[in-house]
Amino acid sequence: MKSTPQRVTVIRRARFSSAHFLRLPELSDAENFQRFGPSSNALGHGHNYEIEVSVSGLVQPETGMVVNLKDLKVILNEEVVTPLDFKNLNLQVDFFKDRLTTLENLSQLLWSRLKPRLDSMNLALVGLRLQESDDLFVEYYGGTDQLP
Ligand code: NI
């Protein structure tokens, strides 16, 4: 029986632990503290980050899958977990040499790493959710000013 290809969104999570701090070099310690609070401590603090990646594609009739979840795990490991886990984002990740290590900026870095990998597999990166604690996370849909 032939059926119309169906588009489904698959969501996969990964976790990594990183240190960071929020400081602007042109500000004094006091000014940094005033703006960023305890997060401005240059010795850093850590988060157990969680990323949730939404990937859409057509269900392949032969496999019944949009993407082999093993392949998605490899991509997340190579582009997210390995480069960031147990790293200090400010000191060890080039992208943050001239940017604050906010969730907003981190979500853009991760998008830019994941999108080409998924594009090359004919998969669409629909969005990602990046969480640093139970109470704080961002969602990113690729940088347009459109609401999802
Ligand atoms: Ni923090």
Side-chain angles (χ1 to χ4, degrees), residues 20 39 45 47 132:
H20 84 128
S39 296
H45 62 277
H47 296 290
E132 71 168 39

Side-chain angles (χ1 to χ4, degrees), residues 91-122:
L91 305 179
Q92 296 178 277
V93 179
D94 281 351
F95 181 78
F96 290 113
K97 281 213 164 94
D98 53 1
R99 290 179 184 85
L100 286 165
T101 51
T102 59
L103 277 182
E104 291 89 330
N105 284 338
L106 184 53
S107 69
Q108 291 173 58
L109 169 63
L110 298 181
W111 181 280
S112 71
R113 288 174 153 275
L114 292 168
K115 186 158 183 1
R117 293 290 301 269
L118 295 166
D119 282 350
S120 73
M121 299 165 72
N122 286 323

